[in-house]
Amino acid sequence: MKKSLSMKEIAELAGVSVATISRVMNQNGGYSTETEEKVRSAIKKYNYVPNSAAKSLRTNRAPIVGIIVPDILNEYYSRLVFELQMAFFEEGYLTMICNTNESSTLEEKTVQALIAQSVSGLILISGVNYQKRSLATGIPTAYIDRRPQDDERGIVYVESDNVQGGYMATKELIECGCTRIAFITDMLGESSKIGRFKGYCNALNEADIPIDPSLTMRVQNVAIDDAFQVVSEALEKGITFDGIMCTTDMLAIGATMASEAAGYKVPEEMKITGFDDVSATTLFRPSITTVHQNTDAMTKLVAELLIDLIDGKKLKEQDYTIPVTLMKRASTRGE
Amino acid sequence: MKKSLSMKEIAELAGVSVATISRVMNQNGGYSTETEEKVRSAIKKYNYVPNSAAKSLRTNRAPIVGIIVPDILNEYYSRLVFELQMAFFEEGYLTMICNTNESSTLEEKTVQALIAQSVSGLILISGVNYQKRSLATGIPTAYIDRRPQDDERGIVYVESDNVQGGYMATKELIECGCTRIAFITDMLGESSKIGRFKGYCNALNEADIPIDPSLTMRVQNVAIDDAFQVVSEALEKGITFDGIMCTTDMLAIGATMASEAAGYKVPEEMKITGFDDVSATTLFRPSITTVHQNTDAMTKLVAELLIDLIDGKKLKEQDYTIPVTLMKRASTRGE
DNA sequence: TTCATTTGCGTAATCGTTTACATTTTATCA
DNA sequence: TGATAAAATGTAAACGATTACGCAAATGAA
């Protein structure tokens, strides 16, 4: 284990003081071009790498941002994480990506651990307001995709226009001739899902279709099997509907499978929409009509906001909503 | 910004010295149960969180392991990363997951950055031997999935039995009646792909089928479109074959689409196998016969090995191969 | 030339831990 | 009871950076 040289040693080798090395490293000025040259060549020659623990200790901040994600196996979230990482790397930040598996206890532990690492900032996909719980006080924090339930507009938040997305998906079903439209979601606790439900209601109201509570179905996980089961049961029980709006693509795929298994042709006798536009929507037959979230815009924006926060800038706006796009495919319109 | 208390302050509040606090925190012994109780309650009461930068500075090691992954949007890799993260979290390590997008310059930068963070160890999915390049000297390192090309058995490495996997997939095609079997892969530079090719050759040899170089096709990326194109072209050119062994599932899906587009029925007239067993293989119709990698065993093992390395233990064995399983599905056998 | 500024650089305190060593307290035993 | 060993606790020096402060030399104005 060849330990790397410290600033002090480099200083001796370069014939200057540690202060000068530090100044050159951080380009703080207060040195001549001549000295700078001397220092730079010593740094290069001896391959000096500053000790970031010492730096963090002194400056009370590491060039790292923590990212809390509930389920990295979900393609939508892994896309978010991927883009976040790229955005931060370009700005000189490393990211610690932490998957919480939708477990709040694991999430809390992880946030603790990240804080202990004195990360510069936190990106959260979470329904918990840590600032309020005074866990993350003082650490710049921005939320994306999910808004904490107990938010009082104190947080920085970026989301898709879920209401609009829910509205567009439902309207597509109506336009394609559906008159009884079911709604499937996992827990309605997440703000994004609530928005989608609101959009669903808006579209129905606009078309003067009454909202039938028996057509709202809940599911434990956003998994194909869960949707399959709940749709199969509803159909068996004799509940009738000719369209299903699902709050995720996996639910839509499960719903399609169940409909077909029960003898309904999709899209002829049953039309279905998803949400997120993951790759499976075009791999699966019929391809799934879905709402595309502009993750690229979302992640770039939230990264920018967090960095502004870290740099101590005041934000004009704390709350952002990004437009979505409807992708019309076979599950509503056929090939 | 409410700064959290330091050990010194806690010490005063608890009426003991910093050394005692430290001893209790690290359970180093040398304190009475009574004192321990006093310390613990103060820690809890004032919500003390140790500063990890200071700790790292002193101990010269952060409880973090870096993970380099080439493409986190690839479900196989995201599964690997997910499991790695869980395994390390359980052992008290946080992970810094860094996606390199298959770019070697980005990869190098990232490794540099991780080292500067004084991570305790590195998990690499990479074809580059950083120890040899003396970039990562002294940092415990383990490779998974890809073996560095210039390896001289100096590294710790865990992989699937790719040769066996390639053999099983090809043999399945032969058993199902194929006589001219194509092979599609991306760059053959990666050790895993080379192994799969070797398995393919082994199976053909065993069945006395000559290896026809015109049946080996290369593709730029492991993307559906790339496979679609190369298979379509081959078919147009009049190259004949009745089976395709693909080195990833996405290639298999693309190959299937191309075959069907060219008028071949899968599996009746064209049989296809994939590799990795991602979820799309069962979503896609026909479902894809594929080789399942035991990622759970791989990640648990590599995490254990790296931690042993970090703890300074000697490893009995440096090189591990994990068995794979063939998942027989519709693309070779029909429904 | 003289005094005031500015510039360049070094000294040393500091961040919050760990830990070797010193010191005090308690336990053990003849 | 004393002497001695063992256990519990405290003191202070690191770790490697940043930075306030001070001093010397260079520059400029008069």
Side-chain angles (χ1 to χ4, degrees):
Chain A
M1 174 102 179
K2 206 189 330 173
K3 259 179 76 352
S4 80
L5 298 180
S6 75
M7 187 176 268
K8 196 170 160 194
E9 296 169 290
I10 292 290
E12 274 164 22
L13 289 164
V16 298
S17 75
V18 287
T20 300
I21 304 277
S22 175
R23 283 189 269 253
V24 171
M25 288 294 300
N26 299 311
Q27 307 193 50
N28 282 338
Y31 47 84
S32 64
T33 0
E34 195 185 2
T35 320
E36 172 169 9
E37 191 37 54
K38 220 165 37 175
V39 170
R40 289 213 182 282
S41 75
I43 286 174
K44 178 147 274 175
K45 183 170 172 193
Y46 299 104
N47 199 23
Y48 168 63
V49 179
N51 177 307
S52 59
K55 182 168 185 161
S56 301
L57 174 59
R58 207 32 245 249
T59 61
N60 201 24
R61 140 202 227 269
I64 301 178
V65 333
I67 300 179
I68 297 286
V69 53
D71 178 13
I72 207 176
L73 292 180
N74 178 325
E75 185 185 322
Y76 166 66
Y77 288 126
S78 74
R79 200 162 76 201
L80 236 37
V81 161
F82 167 81
E83 291 171 359
L84 283 171
Q85 161 138 53
M86 289 293 156
F88 281 112
F89 194 86
E90 272 168 25
E91 299 294 330
Y93 289 90
L94 283 176
T95 45
M96 306 214 346
I97 296 164
C98 300
N99 190 76
T100 65
N101 243 355
E102 297 281 9
S103 143
S104 57
T105 53
L106 181 51
E107 180 176 308
E108 191 154 325
K109 266 198 201 172
T110 312
V111 171
Q112 282 261 25
L114 286 173
I115 293 172
Q117 285 303 317
S118 47
V119 293
S120 296
L122 243 27
I123 296 281
L124 300 174
I125 303 176
S126 165
V128 180
N129 187 337
Y130 286 97
Q131 255 147 259
K132 236 182 157 182
R133 314 240 336 255
S134 71
L135 228 179
T137 29
I139 296 190
T141 305
Y143 287 78
I144 182 170
D145 184 77
R146 297 185 185 175
R147 177 199 298 283
Q149 291 139 336
D150 54 354
D151 173 35
E152 292 154 355
R153 297 300 126 98
I155 61 161
V156 174
Y157 179 58
V158 173
E159 72 173 338
S160 276
D161 193 339
N162 286 297
V163 178
Q164 177 69 3
Y167 172 83
M168 287 161 91
T170 311
K171 194 168 178 203
E172 162 77 359
L173 291 170
I174 295 171
E175 278 175 5
C176 291
C178 299
T179 55
R180 284 184 55 75
I181 300 175
F183 181 88
I184 308 184
T185 187
D186 53 341
M187 27 183 184
L188 258 185
E190 298 157 36
S191 61
S192 57
K193 305 300 167 59
I194 294 175
R196 291 168 204 185
F197 184 68
K198 207 176 285 176
Y200 162 79
C201 294
N202 290 351
L204 292 184
N205 285 337
E206 192 185 85
D208 281 327
I209 301 176
I211 292 163
D212 181 345
S214 74
L215 291 180
T216 296
M217 310 173 194
R218 296 278 171 79
V219 117
Q220 201 62 32
N221 304 304
V222 285
I224 293 176
D225 294 347
D226 289 45
F228 187 92
Q229 203 171 333
V230 73
V231 170
S232 297
E233 276 171 16
L235 256 16
E236 266 171 36
K237 267 197 264 174
I239 302 179
T240 60
F241 45 94
D242 51 8
I244 313 177
M245 183 201 147
C246 306
T247 53
T248 78
D249 289 329
M250 287 302 139
L251 293 181
I253 288 176
T256 304
M257 288 173 156
S259 302
E260 289 181 337
Y264 292 82
K265 285 211 174 98
V266 178
E268 292 80 359
E269 300 161 311
M270 182 71 81
K271 301 188 204 322
I272 293 171
T273 62
F275 215 107
D276 291 348
D277 194 19
V278 302
S279 61
T281 53
T282 58
L283 255 29
F284 185 75
R285 284 292 106 90
S287 60
I288 303 289
T289 292
T290 188
V291 177
H292 177 84
Q293 299 197 51
N294 192 348
T295 53
D296 190 57
M298 292 168 75
T299 53
K300 285 215 172 97
L301 176 58
V302 81
E304 197 183 305
L305 292 173
L306 187 67
I307 290 173
D308 281 354
L309 236 38
I310 291 172
D311 294 344
K313 293 189 195 152
K314 279 270 165 285
L315 303 181
K316 295 190 253 322
E317 188 67 61
Q318 304 221 100
D319 214 290
Y320 293 83
T321 305
I322 309 293
V324 296
T325 325
L326 183 68
M327 313 298 287
K328 296 180 183 176
R329 294 204 264 251
S331 68
T332 53
R333 309 207 155 228
E335 300 300 329
Chain B
M1 173 105 178
K2 205 189 332 172
K3 260 180 76 353
S4 79
L5 299 181
S6 76
M7 188 176 269
K8 197 170 158 194
E9 296 168 289
I10 291 289
E12 274 163 23
L13 289 163
V16 298
S17 75
V18 288
T20 301
I21 305 278
S22 174
R23 282 189 269 253
V24 172
M25 289 294 301
N26 299 311
Q27 308 193 52
N28 280 339
Y31 46 82
S32 64
T33 0
E34 193 185 3
T35 320
E36 172 169 10
E37 192 37 54
K38 218 164 37 174
V39 170
R40 290 211 183 283
S41 76
I43 286 174
K44 177 147 273 174
K45 182 170 173 194
Y46 298 103
N47 198 21
Y48 168 64
V49 179
N51 177 307
S52 58
K55 182 167 186 161
S56 301
L57 174 59
R58 208 30 246 247
T59 61
N60 201 24
R61 139 201 228 269
I64 301 178
V65 333
I67 300 179
I68 297 286
V69 54
D71 178 13
I72 206 175
L73 292 180
N74 179 325
E75 185 185 321
Y76 166 66
Y77 287 126
S78 73
R79 200 162 74 203
L80 236 37
V81 161
F82 167 82
E83 291 170 359
L84 283 170
Q85 161 138 54
M86 289 294 157
F88 281 112
F89 194 86
E90 272 167 28
E91 298 294 330
Y93 288 90
L94 283 176
T95 44
M96 307 216 341
I97 296 163
C98 300
N99 190 74
T100 64
N101 241 356
E102 297 280 10
S103 143
S104 56
T105 52
L106 181 52
E107 179 176 309
E108 190 153 326
K109 268 197 201 171
T110 311
V111 171
Q112 284 260 23
L114 287 173
I115 293 172
Q117 285 302 318
S118 49
V119 293
S120 298
L122 243 27
I123 296 280
L124 300 173
I125 304 176
S126 164
V128 179
N129 187 336
Y130 286 98
Q131 254 147 260
K132 236 184 157 182
R133 314 242 334 256
S134 71
L135 230 178
T137 29
I139 296 188
T141 304
Y143 288 77
I144 182 170
D145 183 78
R146 296 185 186 176
R147 178 198 298 282
Q149 292 140 335
D150 54 355
D151 172 36
E152 291 154 354
R153 298 300 127 98
I155 61 162
V156 174
Y157 179 57
V158 173
E159 71 173 337
S160 276
D161 193 339
N162 287 297
V163 178
Q164 178 68 3
Y167 172 83
M168 287 161 91
T170 311
K171 192 167 180 205
E172 161 77 359
L173 292 170
I174 295 170
E175 278 177 4
C176 291
C178 299
T179 54
R180 283 183 56 76
I181 300 175
F183 180 88
I184 308 185
T185 186
D186 53 341
M187 28 182 183
L188 258 184
E190 300 155 35
S191 60
S192 56
K193 306 301 167 61
I194 295 175
R196 291 168 204 185
F197 184 68
K198 206 176 284 176
Y200 161 82
C201 294
N202 290 352
L204 292 184
N205 284 336
E206 191 185 86
D208 281 327
I209 301 176
I211 292 161
D212 181 346
S214 74
L215 292 180
T216 296
M217 308 175 197
R218 296 278 170 79
V219 118
Q220 201 60 31
N221 304 304
V222 285
I224 294 176
D225 293 347
D226 288 44
F228 187 93
Q229 203 171 334
V230 73
V231 170
S232 296
E233 275 170 18
L235 255 17
E236 266 170 36
K237 268 197 265 175
I239 302 179
T240 61
F241 45 95
D242 51 9
I244 314 178
M245 182 203 149
C246 306
T247 53
T248 78
D249 289 328
M250 287 301 138
L251 292 181
I253 288 176
T256 305
M257 287 174 156
S259 302
E260 289 181 339
Y264 292 82
K265 285 212 176 96
V266 178
E268 292 80 0
E269 300 160 310
M270 182 72 80
K271 302 190 202 324
I272 293 173
T273 62
F275 214 106
D276 290 348
D277 194 19
V278 301
S279 60
T281 53
T282 58
L283 256 27
F284 185 75
R285 285 291 107 88
S287 59
I288 304 289
T289 294
T290 189
V291 176
H292 177 84
Q293 299 197 51
N294 191 348
T295 54
D296 190 57
M298 292 169 76
T299 53
K300 286 216 173 97
L301 175 58
V302 81
E304 195 183 307
L305 292 172
L306 186 67
I307 290 173
D308 281 353
L309 236 37
I310 292 172
D311 294 344
K313 294 190 194 149
K314 279 271 167 283
L315 303 180
K316 294 190 252 322
E317 188 66 61
Q318 306 222 97
D319 214 289
Y320 294 83
T321 305
I322 308 293
V324 295
T325 325
L326 183 68
M327 313 298 288
K328 296 182 182 176
R329 294 204 264 251
S331 69
T332 53
R333 309 207 156 227
E335 300 300 330

